[in-house]
Amino acid sequence: MAMKNQYLIDLLETVKKRNAGEPEFIQAVTEVLESLEPVVEARPDLVEAGVLDRLVEPERQIIFRVPWVDDNGKVQVNRGFRVQYNSAIGPYKGGLRLHPSVYLGIIKFLGFEQVFKNSLTTLPMGGGKGGSDFDPKGKSDGEVMRFCQSFMTELCKHIGPDTDVPAGDIGTGAREIGYMFGQYKRLRNEFSGVLTGKGLTYGGSLVRTEATGYGLCYFTDEMLKANGKSFEGKTVVISGSGNVAIYATEKATELGAKVVALSDSNGYIYDEKGVDLACIKQLKEVERKRIKEYVNTHPDATYTEGCSGIWSIPCDIALPCATQNEINKESAELLVKNGCFAVSEGANMPSTPEAIEVYLNNGILYGPAKAANAGGVATSGLEMSQNSERLSWTFEEVDAKLKGIMTSIFAACDSAAKEYGMPGNYMAGANIAGFLKVAEAMKAQGCV
Ligand code: NDP
């Protein structure tokens, strides 16, 4: 979609020049600016207040050395990041990604998206993101612990329960959050809700583990219902087999669908009868093994090397839950050709701009990440509330709140899309609704 508004065209040019070499960040900003064209026309006061000029620049970017000693006594050095993107509506909030592909551009794109996502949750949270190019895969528990302690030794200078509250993301699960929390507590002599996704014995919230996957299905269910459809009896393909994919599989199955495929970064499994989730949980959550092991105990299932082939499996609904840009134009065209009618994103920015164009041109119901996967951070927000009042809510209570939030997010996307003349375009709706709250707050707080 080409932009016509000269102010936005010029702004995007500045972003491209200033952030050369960071294609993911430029991709995320381009999508949002394109969606905001009708808002910029309708709200010159926001342009006048410089809201957009400020929003495309993070408030603070921290890059630091993370030295640690491996099991052979050798010094290893990784690079750590925290991008404190925007604090207009609350303390910075967003996960920590541990993956070898991490560099500043990835963290900035994730931080930028987080600002709008957190705004959509209706909770008072600003946007941030962090991580490192450390790869937890193949490392011993001791190595992971020493890395996490070193990472937190620097990060603790920049975060706090009222300043910046990190959480998990790719490669950062309960184990890593535990080690980081322990180190923060030791260094600051303070037991506070400085991280979310904590274990249940030390301030974690019930449902946080399940939240992103469950929330994705709650959002998708709303989108389906609004269009006269449902999960019942549908065939679903889900990429990834990590935290988001596992609990999306669990909830989609509970809602009556059959999930036939899952993947990891090496390849994908296809089980026509529906995947055996207990086996996947054992392999991935307990034994930390590769997904190809699944076929050893499920001889009717098949394993195929490579990730993108998963989108050639015929399905009604696709839920990408692995990583950015995992569905390109060709994969999107295959999904359409095979009769898929809904794509809803558990991962952040899993569809390329060309893939999104294919969805929109073919009437696919498209649930964009910043709305569809907001259940994780929403439940992190609920964990912060519980930590502040030093209480723990029941599973049912948190789950009901999560469901209510996802329902309201869908309603907000739906009505913003209609109000700005793009009915059914939930991507534009999410960008507009998420933006407006942050923009009003930025305008009210003056030029800071
Ligand atoms: P996990 O680390 O638990 O799982 C990630 C999964 O995706 C693994 O199966 C992994 O395979 C696969 N994967 C990761 N990188 C790649 C890659 N480059 N190519 C192919 N497959 C890959 O992470 P999460 O489940 O937490 O996160 C998945 C996505 O969801 C991310 O985009 C994340 O930002 C997003 N998200 C997560 C939230 C959360 O609460 N956890 C909240 C909102 C969004 P392998 O094991 O082989 O690496």
Side-chain angles (χ1 to χ4, degrees), residues 369-421:
K370 50 174 90 65
N373 74 21
V377 73
T379 309
S380 278
L382 301 177
E383 183 173 330
M384 289 166 73
S385 301
Q386 293 169 78
N387 291 165
S388 295
E389 59 177 19
R390 304 209 189 282
L391 289 173
S392 299
W393 304 339
T394 63
F395 190 97
E396 291 69 27
E397 210 173 340
V398 183
D399 192 36
K401 285 190 163 66
L402 167 64
K403 199 168 179 185
I405 289 170
M406 297 317 292
T407 304
S408 79
I409 292 176
F410 175 74
C413 297
D414 191 35
S415 68
K418 285 178 182 147
E419 189 182 334
Y420 285 89

Side-chain angles (χ1 to χ4, degrees), residues 66-94:
V66 189
W68 55 281
V69 179
D70 70 17
D71 286 347
N72 298 318
K74 189 169 179 302
V75 171
Q76 301 285 344
V77 177
N78 286 101
R79 186 171 282 184
F81 301 90
R82 186 71 184 167
V83 171
Q84 297 181 327
Y85 205 104
N86 190 294
S87 61
I89 64 168
Y92 308 108
K93 179 92 199 86

